[in-house]
Amino acid sequence: MSKLKIGVIGCGSIAQHRHLPEYANNENVEVVAVCDIVEERAWKMADAVGAKAYTNHKELLANAEVEAVSVCTPNYLHAPISIDALNAGKHVLCEKPMATSSEEAQSMIDAAAKNGKKLMIAHNQRFVPSHQKAKQLIESGEVGKIYSFRSAFGHGGPEGWSAAGKDSWFFKKDEAFIGAMGDLGVHKTDLLRYILGEEFAEVGAFVETSAKENADVDDTAVCVLKTESGTIGTLAASWSYVSKEDNSTIIYGEKAILRLEDDPVNSLIVQYVTGEVVKYELGGIQTNDDGGQTNSRVIDQFVHSILHNAEPPVPGEEGKKSLEVVLSALESSETKRIVKL
C-alpha cells in the first residue's frame, strides 16, 4: 500500500516533539513537506525528516503530492491555514485551540464538509488510558450519579519548551489570542465533556495575568462549570505552577470517587463508597518533559480516519464545543457574570 503523504505547517515545539516523531513512528505515512516562516527552522526540520522545505504555507499546499497536513502554527493562524488546506483538498489535523472564535471554528467545519475532507482537532487527553477507563466506568453506571468534579492543568509556562522561549508567541495576544486557558484549559474542557458525556450549560470564571511579566494574555484561570444535567465542578488552568506539573482530574460520584493522573504510579484510583480501593497502573499521561512524549495516539487516529474513511475521533464539531466553553469563560471574566452556553 502506498504511504499517505503528509505536510507539517509550523515547525515549532509541538511539531518537533509530537507531530513529526509520531508520524515517523507510523508505518503508513511519509512526511514529504514542512513549512515554517523561520527559514532556518524549516530547512533544519526538512533535513531531519527528508522532506521538502517551504516558508509559505500556500506553496506547500500547492504541492499535489501532499494529501494531509498538520497545522502547528500560532493560534491565530489555525483557522485561516486549516481552511486554505481544506480548500486545497488536503485533510487537516489542527492543533488546539482550533480557532479564536466560534465563527472561525464553524468556517473550518464548513470547509471540511464542502471539500469532503477530514478535519480533526488534536485533543490528545481523550486517548489517555486512565481517561478512557474512567469514561467506561461512568457509562457502565459503576460510579453512579456524578455529583461534582475538579480538574487542573498547570505547569511553569511555555517558555520552558517553546521554540522561542520567553519571547514565544504564546505570550502575545495578537498571535496567541488566549493564554493558559487556550493552551491548557481547552484540553480540560474537552476532556470533561468527553468523560462526563454531556455538554456544559453555564460557566463562571476568573481569568488573570499574575505570573508572567512578559505576557499580555492570561496565565492563571479558575472556572466553575455546570453541565446540562446540573453537575457542578471546577477547572483550573495555569502557567504559574513552578514545581511539578499538575494534570489531574477527580470525579465525585454517588458510588465512587475517580482520581485520574493524581498519583505518580497509579494513573486511575477508584475509591468506592464501600471502602474498597482499586488502583489501575495504565501508563502515564503525555508530558513535555524529556522522555514524556512517546505516543499521544493523535497522529495514529488521524491517519486511521483517512485510510479507513472513518469519522475522526475529535472532529471539528467537538473542537468547536470545547472552544466555546473557553470563550464563555473569557466572557464571564470580562463581564463578571455567569455565561449560559
Side-chain angles (χ1 to χ4, degrees):
M1 186 176 73
S2 61
K3 293 189 175 186
L4 186 69
K5 303 296 193 296
I6 301 289
V8 175
I9 301 174
C11 293
S13 289
I14 199 70
Q16 293 175 29
H17 296 297
R18 187 163 291 166
H19 289 252
L20 289 167
E22 291 188 25
Y23 279 126
N25 288 332
N26 189 306
E27 62 184 14
N28 296 312
V29 303
E30 179 186 0
V31 176
V32 297
V34 298
C35 176
D36 198 284
I37 58 171
V38 179
E39 187 172 3
E40 182 183 359
R41 194 184 299 160
W43 279 106
K44 183 178 178 182
M45 287 299 105
D47 288 344
V49 301
K52 186 171 182 181
Y54 294 87
T55 55
N56 183 309
H57 78 274
K58 291 186 177 180
E59 292 179 7
L60 181 150
L61 296 175
N63 183 339
E65 189 181 18
V66 175
E67 299 169 89
V69 299
S70 275
V71 177
C72 302
T73 60
N75 298 340
Y76 79 110
L77 293 172
H78 285 176
I81 290 179
S82 293
I83 291 167
D84 283 348
L86 292 162
N87 287 337
K90 319 296 186 187
H91 303 286
V92 170
L93 172 62
C94 182
E95 266 301 329
K96 52 72 206 168
M98 69 182 287
T100 62
S101 70
S102 182
E103 292 75 18
E104 273 193 343
Q106 188 59 50
S107 295
M108 293 166 68
I109 293 165
D110 292 345
K114 180 183 78 173
N115 294 290
K117 296 299 173 184
K118 309 294 182 190
L119 170 62
M120 178 171 160
I121 313 305
H123 283 298
N124 59 327
Q125 297 225 352
R126 293 187 180 214
F127 309 122
V128 174
S130 62
H131 296 163
Q132 294 193 325
K133 181 65 176 178
K135 181 176 176 66
Q136 292 168 8
L137 291 172
I138 291 171
E139 287 180 342
S140 72
E142 192 162 332
V143 185
K145 181 182 178 181
I146 304 302
Y147 293 144
S148 185
F149 58 86
R150 63 182 172 91
S151 189
F153 197 175
H155 53 52
E159 63 266 49
W161 49 267
S162 174
K166 63 181 176 56
D167 298 320
S168 172
W169 61 265
F170 276 98
F171 300 114
K172 301 169 184 173
K173 192 175 182 67
D174 58 344
E175 295 182 52
F177 158 68
I178 186 173
M181 234 355 244
D183 181 34
L184 307 178
V186 75
H187 269 313
K188 291 304 187 182
T189 62
D190 189 73
L191 173 65
L192 290 165
R193 291 180 52 252
Y194 171 74
I195 286 183
L196 299 174
E198 60 174 323
E199 301 301 333
F200 289 111
E202 296 180 76
V203 181
F206 292 100
V207 182
E208 301 290 341
T209 305
S210 57
K212 304 297 181 188
E213 294 179 358
N214 58 323
D216 58 3
V217 293
D218 59 282
D219 58 33
T220 302
V222 177
C223 311
V224 178
L225 304 168
K226 186 177 183 178
T227 69
E228 290 178 334
S229 72
T231 302
I232 58 172
T234 60
L235 182 161
S238 183
W239 288 338
S240 61
Y241 294 6
V242 297
S243 182
K244 183 175 175 289
E245 178 178 295
D246 185 3
N247 204 340
S248 62
T249 299
I250 302 175
I251 310 287
Y252 300 94
E254 173 190 9
K255 301 176 184 176
I257 295 172
L258 307 180
R259 295 185 176 275
L260 308 164
E261 306 299 330
D262 192 41
D263 179 270
V265 176
N266 303 292
S267 53
L268 170 60
I269 298 175
V270 186
Q271 301 167 313
Y272 289 95
V273 69
T274 59
E276 180 188 6
V277 177
V278 178
K279 298 179 178 181
Y280 295 89
E281 195 174 333
L282 302 171
I285 197 167
Q286 294 285 302
T287 75
N288 290 315
D289 297 334
D290 287 342
Q293 300 289 0
T294 51
N295 187 352
S296 70
R297 295 176 59 200
V298 168
I299 298 300
D300 290 348
Q301 293 281 346
F302 176 56
V303 171
H304 181 273
S305 70
I306 297 170
L307 296 180
H308 297 271
N309 193 26
E311 174 84 344
V314 195
E317 290 83 356
E318 285 292 290
K320 179 173 180 262
K321 288 175 182 175
S322 297
L323 171 66
E324 285 173 340
V325 181
V326 170
L327 296 174
S328 297
L330 287 185
E331 182 184 343
S332 172
S333 183
E334 290 167 0
T335 62
K336 305 303 178 189
R337 296 175 185 272
I338 300 294
V339 173
K340 290 187 183 326
L341 277 93

